[in-house]
Structures are given as C-alpha cells and as structure tokens.
Amino acid sequence: MNNQLAKTFSPINDQGGLDTRFDDDMIFIYRSIGSGVEEGLLSFNHKTSELEKSYGGYALNLCEAFIKRIQYLDEYERDGSNQYRWKSKMLEDRLREGLHEIGFKPSKVSKLIGAAEFKVSLPSKYRELDWINSLPVSSLYILSTMSHNGLEQAIAASQTREWNKKTDTFDLVPVTKKDLEEIQVWNPKNPNETRGRGSKNKFEDSIVIEEMVEPSQHDLAKELVAIASLIQTKDGWKDPELIEILNQEADKLMSIAHIATLPVTKPITV
C-alpha cells in the first residue's frame, strides 16, 4: 500500500504516529482492495490537492470576510444580538462546514482559517504586507503558528539577497515552505511545542534573537541608534526605496529626531 494512503487510513496512536497494533489488519485490508483501487484513490487525492491549491485563494478571501464580520459582532454586538457570541459561533461553525461541503479537506480548512486569522490580525500598513500577501495558504498558516520572534526571522529571511552572475544584480532568495517550517519549529506560538527540533535553527543568525520579555524604551532607543549609525544618509535623497521605507513611519521618526536634539538634563533628586 502506498505510504500516503497508509498514513491517511491507518489508526493513529497518542503520539501522533501510526498505531502498529493495527499493522496486520491494515495489511489484510490493503491486499484485498487490489492495485486498481489504490491507483484510483491516489489519482483522486492528487487531483483534489491540485484543485485545493488552485482555488485556495478564493476560499482564503471568504474566510477573511467571515472573520472580519465575526470580530465586528464580538466587538460591537456582544451585549446585543450577539449575546454569548451565539451568532459568532454559528458563523464559525458554518464556515468550516461550508468549506467541507464544497470539497476542501478538514486539514486544509484548518489551514485556511488559521491563515485568514493571521492576515486579518496584521495592521493595514504592516511593513511586509506585500510579501505576506504573495505567499500561498500553506506558508501563511505556518506564519500564523509562529511567535513574534519567528515572524521577524521569516521577514529577515525574505530580504536575503544573492549575487546573480547572469544579470549582475543582487536578487531576492525566495523563502520556501521548508524554510518557514524550520523557523517555526524553533519559534512556535505555543512555547511548549518542541516537535521536530534539530540541533540548530539556521535562520537564528539572520537577526538578533529577542528575549521573551517586553523591551524597555531605553533598550529600543539603543537599538535604534545602532541601526541609524549604519544607514548611509549622504545620498539617501537619491534612493526612492529608502525614502519609501522611511516614509512608513515618518511622523514617528520626526518625533524621535526632535527628542534627539533636546539637551540632556540630570534628574532632580530630593
């Protein structure tokens, strides 16, 4: 029996692996169905998986619309028509059931909803929104299961460039699903999750690893000064990309620049 079908139909143990107590039973079942059934089921699984990939974007948009409406009901109608979240819960359940009914597998539905919840949670002016929007559902779902530190590592990895000898340019290196999975293993949203960890996360060196505590304003200021010292400002006015990036937080940068020009005063002690 094909390994893919064996994983699908064999009973699972408490650790999430195949339950070996059923090996003899599954061998008997598989031998009795014949190769034609196996090939047909594999073909069906392949075709449905391809359809899920092709039309997953539409389902993702639907999930986002449901989640936005649910969040609105929870925020503005919690004490009215949505008391005890009954409307929200019914919409959540119907979204899952509807996606199942039109052909999406349960595992795919969970990924679609997780990916949609992640996208909806991002600010409208999030600095890497274009890159995130370009990712497939499977990659978005992986991002949704990362800690903040993991997301920062993923963003840093997405900005990695390599020299292209053919074009004489530095080109972005695409971040693969496997890359994101490795980052997630070391930076899960659930701190108790340790499955799949190897000896080292190769992306840890791409950024400074943050402590799992809220940094102080002084720590953030020190980091900002260190970064600012590395930015070449002499010909910055000629760099449209640099200007566009800085414009995203222009007001905040102007406020920080104003504070930076103030005279240093010693605290008054009694």
Side-chain angles (χ1 to χ4, degrees):
M1 185 68 176
N2 181 275
N3 287 336
Q4 185 175 351
L5 290 182
K7 291 179 180 178
T8 300
F9 292 101
S10 296
I12 304 300
N13 58 31
D14 294 338
Q15 289 73 44
L18 299 183
D19 195 328
T20 58
R21 295 173 297 178
F22 292 88
D23 284 354
D24 292 340
D25 304 296
M26 300 313 296
I27 290 173
F28 178 85
I29 293 171
Y30 295 154
R31 285 177 178 174
S32 67
I33 64 174
S35 60
V37 173
E38 181 178 340
E39 292 173 1
L41 291 174
L42 286 172
S43 176
F44 175 76
N45 182 68
H46 175 73
K47 289 178 180 179
T48 53
S49 296
E50 289 300 315
L51 285 171
E52 283 182 333
K53 290 180 182 178
S54 300
Y55 294 92
Y58 299 110
L60 182 64
N61 289 338
L62 176 67
C63 290
E64 289 182 57
F66 261 81
I67 291 166
K68 288 177 181 178
R69 183 58 184 176
I70 289 169
Q71 290 182 351
Y72 173 86
L73 292 173
D74 287 346
E75 183 172 356
Y76 296 105
E77 298 185 21
R78 188 67 176 268
D79 297 325
S81 62
N82 188 38
Q83 193 173 20
Y84 307 117
R85 294 193 70 245
W86 74 272
K87 289 182 70 175
S88 300
K89 292 174 182 177
M90 288 192 68
L91 287 173
E92 291 170 3
D93 291 342
R94 194 56 203 150
L95 174 60
R96 286 185 177 275
E97 293 168 1
L99 290 172
H100 290 161
E101 288 180 14
I102 64 175
F104 286 95
K105 302 171 187 175
S107 60
K108 187 69 173 183
V109 170
S110 295
K111 290 180 180 179
L112 282 165
I113 294 176
E117 288 175 340
F118 169 71
K119 288 189 66 178
V120 170
S121 71
L122 297 174
S124 59
K125 294 184 178 180
Y126 192 73
R127 68 184 191 280
E128 296 299 331
L129 200 57
D130 289 341
W131 172 67
I132 289 173
N133 285 333
S134 71
L135 296 175
V137 171
S138 57
S139 295
L140 288 170
Y141 175 71
I142 296 171
L143 291 180
S144 75
T145 62
M146 289 183 186
S147 64
H148 173 74
N149 185 64
L151 181 58
E152 290 298 310
Q153 286 191 39
I155 290 173
S158 74
Q159 298 169 348
T160 302
R161 293 178 180 269
E162 287 185 354
W163 180 252
N164 188 326
K165 294 182 180 179
K166 294 182 179 180
T167 61
D168 290 335
T169 58
F170 282 99
D171 295 338
L172 286 172
V173 180
V175 181
T176 66
K177 178 184 174 183
K178 184 177 180 181
D179 292 334
L180 294 177
E181 287 174 338
E182 181 175 343
I183 295 173
Q184 191 278 338
V185 165
W186 284 88
N187 300 274
K189 183 176 289 186
N190 176 7
N192 295 322
E193 183 180 337
T194 58
R195 293 174 297 172
R197 289 189 180 180
S199 59
K200 181 176 173 60
N201 174 10
K202 68 180 180 181
F203 295 98
E204 284 185 358
D205 295 333
S206 62
I207 65 169
V208 177
I209 304 300
E210 300 175 13
E211 296 293 334
M212 298 302 291
V213 295
E214 189 72 21
S216 68
Q217 292 296 296
H218 295 165
D219 291 334
L220 292 173
K222 290 176 182 177
E223 287 190 33
L224 178 62
V225 170
I227 294 171
S229 67
L230 299 175
I231 298 177
Q232 300 296 323
T233 58
K234 181 179 179 181
D235 295 319
W237 61 275
K238 299 179 182 179
D239 189 339
E241 184 176 357
L242 177 62
I243 295 172
E244 182 179 2
I245 293 171
L246 295 176
N247 276 344
Q248 295 179 28
E249 293 293 343
D251 292 341
K252 181 62 69 64
L253 290 173
M254 291 294 289
S255 297
I256 293 173
H258 174 69
I259 295 173
T261 61
L262 296 176
V264 178
T265 57
K266 295 182 179 180
I268 299 175
T269 57
V270 178

